């Protein structure tokens, strides 16, 4: 009887140890499942917004990037349980990580090719830069708030996105040495679009800017520069709220 | 037994402090949070009055036995909790922007309610208990309460000019202590008094907050967002009831504030200092060396359009602020600039403290400065201008003072537009620039307002006088005092082409000309302009998903866009982040109202059901229901009239802050006198004597409402002091009579069922909370005139109930 008890005791101990060691794997697996579920939600939302986005679905590589990048690695521990909810989260210093749906749309609107060069102004947590790094070879990202820049660089390194070029500093003048860019994302816009950034956009390039306060993106501005360097903007409502005077 | 003067004074001090605390909290929360949430938190905290009524009703005799000690304890608790509860509440990590994403935010909000309720609860106990203790002299106690409130409302505004709002918490604490000491003088013998006084004073010295009170501003407000940038720091702070001004210097990364800048612009602004009001609403003081060529960026915004349409000489800038519109005019070498700014502290910044930096802009020979409210200035001048310019000015409405925050705005109403156009010289322009919103809301509403104003002024074809353009960030609407010429249209096109701005409307525009540079899903604004100018404008307004009904002086809510029928659609879009479409200000008001009604039901109906006899209601008596209706109607009606007339008189006195302060304190002080005088009527055996105040209130309110235009015409011709004096003379009799019905009924009750006095006090408290919120909602929907008439009906209901209350008193 004693031996049986002994055996059970050790089995339980081994079980607990195994569980402890595998918990990481289990958690990762759970996060992966959540990530996939999130992408499904985003896909469904895009279908309802297609009139505004002028497209039926997001590009598959963008969705793949969302399925791959571990968003939970880019948020604070306290926010991890919410990492795969389709909502913005606080990252400290009065800044937020955008709603994944908005990240998806913004990335998609840049229409990137693998060989493109992209600049991000406002690194924040580094999540958007990681998504971009999944899609293109050269990503340059600038953050003015020093502790955030440091944290983002660590996040990117830890998650294997060490090819992303990070820099701490003012984004107004862009990244002159690496210019021109095929795509620019300005996540932290001041009172106007900085003229130097428009200059650093290649002919045929696209710039995307979310407008609104933290936690509340009101609309997106897509700036395009055509082959003749003519600038136009498109103001895009990320939700399907049409038409204004029509039936519901 | 008569209450001693010291007790009346102490009750007055507590009422003054409580009202001052309410106004102060609104100020403080407008700084650390956003004002619509501040409004909801504070209105609900006033339920402390209702809670106090119930608690006193159930424990009245026990507490009355320990009378001076019981109110002294409550006074001390008020003193302690007034600062402590605010300091605790600001530690709660409540983030209103996150409320739709994270349910835990609701818990935080509820926690803040509870904390803020406490000080009001203690203050209400003082008054309620005194009313019960001196039930034969209720009129004196109520008069002291109203008098205190009247002085408190004026006093806090004066004090806010002298000290920072957070320092005022200490003042309130000390005033509570002073009230306690006053009561103790007459309540204890000399030796005991000495001990009690020294203990209180000792505790005060230890606990008085001084240097350690700092405001914890939300990290998501724009001031704190800028302070995240390395090298930025606050270099100056100024405070007044108009707002807390913070000046921020950027040492390493330059501030570049140039909203609405064209995408084709290549220049950037010179060095700038950021100026924030209530930690938000950024504007910039721009370094100016007298060389207009450094200001080129200001010619790259939509608001520069009028300067390109023709040569202008005399212009008026409304809401001059930190001077960017004046710089823009200087860039265009305008000869005479009149500038109007409401906030004297902003002027002081520009004229004294940063005068060198700003290149003595406000002292230039071509600039003539007026410290005034926009319409107040125009009412007193006969001058006309080639251009009246209002740029990106989200005006101060009364909300800035923190009293009533649902942003009434008298700058953008039909009557305001007509007033502006009367001051535009023939062929001159009125120019209004606004932020772009998608989907558009304020621009179509402003268009509807302008078109109505023109039609009312007898213009047969308003479309011949309107131009509108937009960039990706701002839009500018121009109304000409005359028909727009072909020359102007060609200049307009050139201006827009050079800057990649879009044409929205000009007389004769073709659809192919719109939506070319800053492309929207549909040419919303063009469509709105065409529809609003056409025959189907009514149908367009009805069909539009937001409320774009023209704003008038009676319903001055340009920013009220909410439509119920759009709500389900917006709710269904939450997943995609559609919550920004929610016009949350209005919904928050509704939410506050629902909460106030539920809490009132809990506070009034529940005790009535559970502890009927404990409340002092005799079995079988139906009287209490008449009482309930009576005091509830009074509570609603008093504030309806007060708020209705405050808003009406803003139109005469113009300056929102002074108008509110003067009218509110006149109401309260004269009501205090009325309450004092009501004892004479209460002693009368004539039944009609009781109807006199109600009849007088109804008569005066109706007369003022119906004759308001004549009153306004008469008063607007006067100098400022005359307008204030006559407004006081008009309001005082109304307030005088409004102070009577409450104490008269209480006096009667004290003869029959005195036990019900605290209950009546509680009912009045709950009704007041509901009233303040409901008044705003009614005004938004139906206008202030309807609000006043509703109040008259409520007084009628009260008058109808009165005989039933009096019946048992032997009349």
């Amino acid at each position: 009887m004693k031996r049986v008890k002994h055996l059970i005791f050790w089995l339980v101990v081994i079980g607990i140890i195994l569980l402890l060691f595998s918990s990481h794997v289990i958690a990762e697996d759970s996060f992966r499942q959540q990530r996939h579920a999130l992408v499904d939600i985003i896909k469904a939302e895009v279908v309802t917004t297609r009139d505004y986005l002028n497209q039926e679905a997001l590009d598959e590589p963008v969705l793949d990037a969302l399925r791959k990048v571990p968003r939970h690695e880019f948020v604070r521990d306290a926010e991890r349980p919410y990492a795969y909810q389709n909502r913005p989260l606080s990252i400290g210093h009065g800044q937020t990580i955008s709603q994944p749906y908005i990240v998806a749309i913004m990335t998609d609107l840049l229409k990137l090719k693998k060989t493109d060069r992209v600049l991000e102004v406002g690194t924040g947590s580094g999540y958007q830069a990681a998504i971009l790094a999944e899609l293109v070879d050269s990503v340059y990202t600038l953050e003015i708030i020093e502790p955030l820049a440091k944290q983002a660089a660590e996040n990117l390194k830890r998650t294997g996105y060490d090819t992303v070029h990070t820099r701490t500093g003012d984004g107004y003048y862009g990244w002159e040495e690496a210019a021109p860019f095929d795509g620019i994302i300005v996540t932290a816009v001041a009172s106007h679009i900085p003229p130097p950034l428009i200059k650093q956009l290649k002919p045929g390039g696209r710039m995307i800017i979310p407008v609104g306060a933290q936690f509340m993106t009101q609309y997106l501005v897509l700036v395009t520069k055509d082959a003749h360097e003519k600038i136009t903007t498109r103001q895009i409502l990320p939700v399907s709220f049409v038409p204004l005077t029509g039936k519901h | 037994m008569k209450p001693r003067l010291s007790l009346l004074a102490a009750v007055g001090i507590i009422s003054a402090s409580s009202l001052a605390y309410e106004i102060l909290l609104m100020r403080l929360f407008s700084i650390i949070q956003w004002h619509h949430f501040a409004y909801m938190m504070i209105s609900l905290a006033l339920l402390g009055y209702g809670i106090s009524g119930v608690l006193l009703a159930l424990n009245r005799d026990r507490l009355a036995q320990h009378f001076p000690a019981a109110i002294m304890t409550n006074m001390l608790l008020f003193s302690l909790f007034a600062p402590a509860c605010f300091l605790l509440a600001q530690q709660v990590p409540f983030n209103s922007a996150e409320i739709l994403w994270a349910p835990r935010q609701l818990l935080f909000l509820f926690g803040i309610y509870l904390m803020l309720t406490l000080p009001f609860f203690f203050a209400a106990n003082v008054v309620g208990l005194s009313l019960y203790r001196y039930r034969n002299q209720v009129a004196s106690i109520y008069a002291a309460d109203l008098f205190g409130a009247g002085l408190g409302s004026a006093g806090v505004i004066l004090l806010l000019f002298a000290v920072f709002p957070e320092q005022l918490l200490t003042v309130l604490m000390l005033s509570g202590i002073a009230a306690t000491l006053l009561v103790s003088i007459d309540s204890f013998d000399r030796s005991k008094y000495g001990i009690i006084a020294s203990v209180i004073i000792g505790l005060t010295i230890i606990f008085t907050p001084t240097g350690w009170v700092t405001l914890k501003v939300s990290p998501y407000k724009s001031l704190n967002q800028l302070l995240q940038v390395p090298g930025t720091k606050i270099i100056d702070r100024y405070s007044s009831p108009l707002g807390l001004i913070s000046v921020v210097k950027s040492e390493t990364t330059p501030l570049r504030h140039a909203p609405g800048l064209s995408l084709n612009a290549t220049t950037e602004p010179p060095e700038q200092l950021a100026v924030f009001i209530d930690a938000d609403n950024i504007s910039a003081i721009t370094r100016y060396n007298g060389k207009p060529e450094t200001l080129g960026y200001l010619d790259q915004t939509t608001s520069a359009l009028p300067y390109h349409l023709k040569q202008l000489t005399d212009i008026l800038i409304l809401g001059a602020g930190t001077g960017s519109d004046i710089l823009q005019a200087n860039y265009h070498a305008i000869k005479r600039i009149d500038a109007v700014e409401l906030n004297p502290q902003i002027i002081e910044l520009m004229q004294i403290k940063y005068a060198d930096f700003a290149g003595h802009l406000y002292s230039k020979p071509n600039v003539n400065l007026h410290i005034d409210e926009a319409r107040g200035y125009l009412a007193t001048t006969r001058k006309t201008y080639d251009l009246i310019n209002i740029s990106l000015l989200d005006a101060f409405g009364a909300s800035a003072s923190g009293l009533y925050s649902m942003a009434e705005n008298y700058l953008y109403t039909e009557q305001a537009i007509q007033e502006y156009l009367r001051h535009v010289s023939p062929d001159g322009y009125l120019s209004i620039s606004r932020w772009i919103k998608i989907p558009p809301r304020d621009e179509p509403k402003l268009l509807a307002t302008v078109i109505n104003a023109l039609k009312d002024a007898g213009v047969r074809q308003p479309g011949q006088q309107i131009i509108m353009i937009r960039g990706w960030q701002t839009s500018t609407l121009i109304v000409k005092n005359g028909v727009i010429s072909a020359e102007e249209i060609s200049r307009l096109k050139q201006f827009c082409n050079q800057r990649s701005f879009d044409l929205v409307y000009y007389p004769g525009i073709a659809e192919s000309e719109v939506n070319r540079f800053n492309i929207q899903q549909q040419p919303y604004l063009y469509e709105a302009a065409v529809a609003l100018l056409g025959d189907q404008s009514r149908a367009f307004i009805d069909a539009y998903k937001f409320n774009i009904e023209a704003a008038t002086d009676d319903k001055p809510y340009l920013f009220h866009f909410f439509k119920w029928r759009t709500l389900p659609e917006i709710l269904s879009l939450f997943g995609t982040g559609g919550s920004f479409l929610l016009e949350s200000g209005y919904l928050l008001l509704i939410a506050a109202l629902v909460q106030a009604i539920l809490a009132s039901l809990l506070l009034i109906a529940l005790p009535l059901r559970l502890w009927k006899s404990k409340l002092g209601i005799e079995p079988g008596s139906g009287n209490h229901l008449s009482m309930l209706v009576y005091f509830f109607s009074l509570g609603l009606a008093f504030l309806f009239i007060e708020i209705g007339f405050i808003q009406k008189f803003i139109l005469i006195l113009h300056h929102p802050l002074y108008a509110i302060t003067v009218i509110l304190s006149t109401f309260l002080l004269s009501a205090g006198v009325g309450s004092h005088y009501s004892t004479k009527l209460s002693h009368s055996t004539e039944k009609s004597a009781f109807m006199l105040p109600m009849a007088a209130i109804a008569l005066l309110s109706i007369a003022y409402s119906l004759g308001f235009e004549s009153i306004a015409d008469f008063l607007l011709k006067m100098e400022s002091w005359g307008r204030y004096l006559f407004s006081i003379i008009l309001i005082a009799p109304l307030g005088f009579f409004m102070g009577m019905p409450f104490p008269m009924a209480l006096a009667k009750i004290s003869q029959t069922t005195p036990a019900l006095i605290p209950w009546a006090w509680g009912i009045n408290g709950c009704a007041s909370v509901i009233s303040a919120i409901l008044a705003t909602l009614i005004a938004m929907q139906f206008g202030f005139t309807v609000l006043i008439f509703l109040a008259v009906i409520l007084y009628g209901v009260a008058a109808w109930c009165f005989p039933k209350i009096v019946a048992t008193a032997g009349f």
Side-chain angles (χ1 to χ4, degrees):
Chain A
M1 194 63 193
K2 208 176 174 185
R3 282 183 82 177
V4 175
K5 272 187 181 170
H6 212 75
L7 192 70
I8 290 174
F9 171 77
W10 280 111
L11 277 175
V12 169
V13 169
I14 292 165
I16 289 171
I17 292 169
L18 278 176
L19 204 67
L20 281 175
F21 278 104
S22 60
S23 65
H24 178 67
V25 181
I26 294 170
E28 282 302 322
D29 196 45
S30 146
F31 282 136
R32 197 178 56 81
Q33 281 173 14
Q34 289 181 44
R35 217 156 40 231
H36 281 245
L38 177 65
V39 172
D40 290 341
I41 291 172
I42 292 172
K43 273 168 87 175
E45 298 289 3
V46 170
V47 171
T48 66
T49 335
R50 57 178 174 247
D51 288 345
Y52 267 60
L53 301 172
N54 282 339
Q55 61 191 69
E56 290 292 319
L58 297 181
D59 291 343
E60 205 46 45
V62 173
L63 295 174
D64 278 343
L66 283 163
R67 284 191 196 101
K68 252 178 153 175
V69 178
R71 193 174 186 243
H72 64 275
E73 294 285 355
F74 292 87
V75 299
R76 298 185 296 183
D77 287 349
E79 311 285 354
R80 276 197 169 196
Y82 317 109
Y84 294 105
Q85 288 180 6
N86 190 15
R87 50 171 276 202
L89 293 170
S90 163
I91 52 168
H93 307 279
Q95 307 302 306
T96 48
I97 177 170
S98 295
Q99 188 186 5
Y101 170 77
I102 298 286
V103 172
I105 290 179
M106 290 202 300
T107 312
D108 190 89
L109 283 168
L110 286 176
K111 300 291 168 211
L112 298 169
K113 297 186 298 294
K114 189 74 181 151
T115 51
D116 281 351
R117 180 176 282 227
V118 183
L119 170 69
E120 182 193 29
V121 177
T123 316
S125 65
Y127 176 69
Q128 173 76 66
I131 295 277
L132 292 170
E134 284 287 343
L135 296 166
V136 297
D137 294 335
S138 321
V139 180
Y140 294 81
T141 180
L142 274 157
E143 173 59 57
I144 198 162
I145 303 168
E146 210 176 309
L148 273 185
K150 223 172 135 190
Q151 182 65 53
E154 271 170 34
N155 290 344
L156 286 165
K157 206 169 167 194
R158 194 180 57 249
T159 45
Y161 296 101
D162 33 17
T163 54
V164 174
H165 304 270
T166 58
R167 185 187 273 184
T168 310
D170 182 15
Y172 194 85
Y173 298 106
W175 197 310
E176 190 64 56
E177 308 90 279
F181 298 98
D182 301 279
I184 301 180
I185 287 196
V186 188
T187 57
V189 69
S191 76
H192 58 273
I193 304 172
L197 289 187
I198 296 179
K199 221 172 151 189
Q200 288 178 17
L201 197 62
K202 262 187 203 168
R206 295 174 148 228
M207 182 190 314
I208 188 88
I209 303 163
V211 175
Q214 301 288 349
F215 291 100
M216 209 165 269
T217 304
Q218 301 203 346
Y219 59 90
L220 307 173
V221 177
L222 177 69
V223 183
T224 46
K225 194 187 241 185
D226 70 11
H228 308 291
E229 306 227 347
K230 190 190 158 214
I231 310 286
T232 49
T233 72
R234 250 180 75 202
Q235 287 159 307
I236 299 165
L237 200 63
V239 297
S240 59
F241 192 70
V242 279
L244 263 172
T245 50
K247 293 187 183 73
H248 304 280
Chain B
M1 187 174 45
K2 268 193 160 182
R4 287 174 187 269
L5 203 61
S6 57
L7 179 91
L8 291 178
V11 167
I13 292 175
I14 291 296
S15 297
S17 309
S18 170
L19 198 107
Y21 187 56
E22 182 191 341
I23 295 173
L24 178 66
L25 281 180
M26 197 64 106
R27 218 43 310 287
L28 290 166
F29 275 95
S30 297
I31 297 168
I32 64 171
Q33 293 273 340
W34 282 270
H35 78 257
H36 46 291
F37 269 92
Y39 179 85
M40 182 161 88
M41 285 172 194
I42 292 147
S43 6
L44 289 168
L46 289 174
L47 280 169
Y49 275 78
I51 300 172
S52 153
V54 176
L55 225 86
L56 290 183
L58 295 173
N59 302 288
R60 57 193 179 273
D61 289 320
R62 205 175 324 151
L63 288 166
Q65 272 171 14
H66 306 284
F67 181 70
I71 63 162
M72 280 169 64
T73 311
N74 277 294
M75 286 172 175
L76 278 180
L77 287 171
F78 172 81
S79 298
L80 180 72
F81 279 85
C85 287
F86 170 72
L87 294 174
L88 276 176
Q90 74 161 352
Q91 294 305 320
V92 177
F94 173 64
N95 172 20
S96 58
E98 216 181 338
I99 202 159
L100 292 166
W101 302 108
R104 66 181 164 178
Q105 293 296 334
L106 289 173
L107 275 180
F108 293 150
L109 185 63
F110 188 67
I112 295 179
Y113 286 167
L114 285 185
M115 280 181 227
L116 297 183
T117 304
L118 277 176
F120 294 111
F121 168 74
F122 295 125
N125 282 346
V126 171
V127 185
L129 206 55
S130 304
L131 280 173
Y132 183 62
R133 174 73 171 78
Y134 295 101
R135 44 196 174 266
N136 300 324
Q137 297 286 330
V138 279
S140 320
I141 301 285
Y142 189 59
D145 172 47
L146 288 171
F147 238 86
L151 292 176
S153 66
V156 69
I157 298 295
L158 288 177
L159 279 169
L160 278 168
F161 275 111
V163 295
F164 283 101
E166 61 268 29
Q167 292 167 330
L168 256 181
L169 287 168
T170 312
V171 177
L172 290 186
M173 178 175 184
L174 294 177
S175 65
I177 305 281
T180 321
L181 291 173
L182 260 177
V183 178
S184 66
I185 292 175
D186 285 330
S187 308
F188 301 99
D189 60 42
R190 199 163 278 271
S191 62
K192 262 191 181 168
Y193 171 70
I195 298 168
I196 289 171
S198 36
V199 170
I200 291 174
I201 292 168
L203 286 173
T204 312
I205 293 168
I206 297 167
F207 286 110
T208 301
T210 47
W212 48 270
V213 180
T214 44
L215 292 182
K216 203 173 164 217
V217 178
S218 158
Y220 305 106
K221 288 200 89 169
S222 48
L223 168 65
N224 274 357
Q225 295 274 306
L226 180 65
L227 289 175
Q228 291 291 341
V229 174
T232 49
K233 61 173 184 212
I234 298 178
I235 50 171
D236 253 323
R237 272 175 101 223
Y238 298 87
S239 170
S240 84
L242 288 170
L244 175 74
I245 296 173
S246 318
V247 183
V248 177
K249 189 177 166 124
S250 274
E251 273 167 356
T252 42
T253 312
L255 175 80
R256 306 163 188 106
H257 186 69
L261 198 67
S262 154
L263 294 168
N264 303 349
T266 47
T267 47
E268 62 178 278
E271 187 185 353
Q272 292 179 320
L273 297 170
V275 176
F276 293 87
I277 293 181
D278 286 347
D280 223 340
N281 306 311
I282 184 175
S283 61
I285 305 180
T286 305
R287 186 183 280 288
Y288 185 45
N289 54 12
K291 293 181 187 154
E293 59 271 24
T294 59
L295 304 172
Y297 72 102
L298 287 171
D299 196 38
Q300 299 292 320
T301 59
T302 55
S303 63
L305 172 63
Y307 300 102
H308 290 261
L309 294 179
K310 72 169 184 191
Q311 184 61 46
L312 307 169
T313 313
D314 251 309
I315 71 159
L316 171 66
I317 288 165
L318 296 176
T322 48
S324 70
D325 292 337
I326 302 180
L327 288 174
Q328 189 183 48
N330 264 329
Y331 178 79
H332 291 97
I334 299 299
K335 286 210 179 83
R336 284 185 292 277
I337 304 167
D338 274 339
V340 177
E341 170 56 41
L342 178 73
N343 193 336
Q345 286 182 327
I346 294 276
I347 300 292
E348 210 180 300
L349 283 181
M350 295 296 293
Q351 272 190 324
I352 301 167
K353 190 77 194 262
Y354 299 100
D356 283 343
F357 186 90
H360 297 271
L361 185 65
Y362 278 28
S363 314
K364 293 216 174 290
N366 65 334
V367 178
N368 201 355
L369 187 66
H370 308 271
I371 303 176
D372 207 337
E373 190 272 344
R375 289 180 69 179
Y377 168 74
L378 287 175
T380 54
T381 181
R382 286 167 165 265
K383 259 181 104 168
T384 56
Y385 298 92
D386 298 339
L387 167 69
I388 295 182
N389 179 54
I390 308 176
S391 278
L392 302 176
L393 182 66
D394 278 339
F396 247 121
S399 52
S401 66
L403 276 176
Y404 303 112
S405 78
M406 283 312 129
E408 322 71 36
N409 190 319
Y410 291 97
L411 276 182
Y412 306 108
T413 66
E414 280 178 39
Q415 291 80 356
I417 302 288
Q418 286 171 354
E419 178 84 48
Y420 303 146
L421 289 175
R422 276 195 288 275
H423 289 83
V424 169
S425 45
D427 291 328
Y429 312 109
L430 164 67
S431 167
I432 303 174
S433 295
R434 296 218 47 84
W435 300 102
I436 292 273
K437 258 195 208 137
I438 299 193
R441 279 154 272 184
D442 21 1
E443 299 109 318
K445 192 160 178 164
L446 187 64
L447 262 172
T449 307
V450 163
I451 292 167
N452 269 12
L454 286 170
K455 281 184 182 162
D456 283 356
V459 175
R460 291 178 64 190
Q461 287 185 301
Q464 293 296 314
Q465 301 184 206
I466 291 176
I467 289 176
M468 194 173 192
I469 61 165
R470 63 176 175 84
W472 74 269
Q473 215 174 7
T474 59
S475 70
T476 295
L477 169 67
I478 288 186
V479 188
K480 186 180 171 185
N481 191 3
V483 172
I484 288 157
S485 67
E487 168 72 18
E488 284 165 320
I489 292 172
S490 107
R491 286 167 174 241
L492 159 75
K493 287 181 181 172
Q494 195 186 1
F495 175 85
C496 287
N497 259 327
Q498 285 167 350
R499 292 162 184 77
S500 295
F501 292 148
D502 282 282
L503 296 164
V504 171
Y505 184 83
Y506 68 82
I509 192 167
E511 192 167 354
S512 57
E513 293 177 272
V514 304
N515 217 17
R516 291 167 52 212
F517 301 106
N518 302 284
I519 300 153
Q520 299 183 336
Q521 179 72 12
Q522 280 171 279
Y524 297 119
L525 284 176
Y526 163 76
E527 288 171 357
V530 171
L532 290 168
L533 284 163
D535 300 333
Q536 300 294 313
S537 68
R538 184 70 262 161
F540 181 80
I541 291 171
D542 288 343
Y544 206 77
K545 284 187 177 172
F546 294 97
N547 170 13
I548 53 163
E549 197 86 45
T552 63
D553 277 353
D554 196 44
K555 285 199 256 175
Y557 297 100
L558 184 83
F559 305 109
H560 170 41
F561 305 113
F562 184 84
K563 261 192 183 173
W564 280 105
R565 71 177 172 88
T566 316
L567 184 63
E569 190 187 350
I570 294 174
L571 291 178
S572 73
L573 297 173
F574 267 28
T576 47
S579 54
F580 68 90
L581 292 166
L582 208 60
E583 289 296 334
S584 58
Y586 184 81
L587 274 187
L588 280 176
L589 261 188
I590 300 275
L593 181 69
V594 171
Q595 293 170 72
I597 290 174
L598 288 179
S600 299
L601 278 176
L602 204 72
L603 290 169
I604 298 172
L606 199 70
L608 198 62
R609 198 165 170 82
L610 293 180
W611 307 294
K612 205 167 177 178
S613 64
K614 218 176 162 190
L615 284 172
I617 296 165
E618 286 164 23
S621 152
N623 244 2
H624 61 281
L625 289 179
S626 307
M627 244 182 79
L628 201 159
V629 176
Y630 181 85
F631 286 106
F632 207 86
S633 307
L634 282 192
L636 288 182
F638 193 101
L639 278 178
F640 277 13
I641 290 201
E642 194 181 276
I643 291 171
F645 279 111
I646 283 176
Q647 293 302 334
K648 291 242 165 219
F649 276 84
I650 284 181
L651 285 171
I652 295 175
L653 301 175
H654 296 301
H655 195 294
L657 179 66
Y658 298 154
I660 291 175
T661 312
V662 168
I663 301 297
L664 178 62
S665 43
T666 306
F667 259 119
L668 292 168
L669 291 173
S670 56
V673 178
S675 168
H676 185 71
Y677 183 79
S678 72
T679 39
K680 293 217 166 84
L681 282 183
S682 303
H683 291 142
S684 162
T685 50
E686 287 291 322
K687 230 177 184 176
S688 59
F690 298 99
M691 294 302 160
L692 177 75
M694 312 276 197
I697 295 166
L699 263 176
L700 286 172
S701 304
I702 293 172
Y704 290 173
S705 287
L706 296 181
F708 190 75
E709 275 189 33
S710 320
I711 295 174
D713 281 348
F714 173 68
L715 291 183
L716 284 173
K717 290 193 187 99
M718 293 184 179
E719 286 291 308
S720 168
W721 66 269
R723 280 183 278 137
Y724 277 94
L725 182 71
F726 273 93
S727 301
I728 291 172
I729 290 173
L730 286 169
I731 288 298
L734 185 57
F736 176 78
F737 289 113
M738 280 163 63
M740 292 180 164
F742 184 80
M744 280 167 76
L746 277 194
K748 288 300 154 200
I749 291 170
S750 72
Q751 291 167 17
T752 52
T753 42
L756 290 180
I757 289 177
W759 191 57
W761 174 239
I763 293 171
N764 191 265
C766 289
S768 306
V769 173
I770 293 177
S771 180
I773 306 167
L774 194 57
T776 312
L777 282 170
I778 292 171
M780 282 173 143
Q781 208 71 44
F782 305 107
F784 290 114
T785 310
V786 171
L787 182 68
I788 291 168
F789 276 86
L790 271 177
V792 171
I793 294 172
L794 283 168
Y795 271 114
V797 171
W800 178 68
C801 291
F802 194 74
K804 293 177 189 160
I805 301 172
V806 179
T808 46
F811 288 92

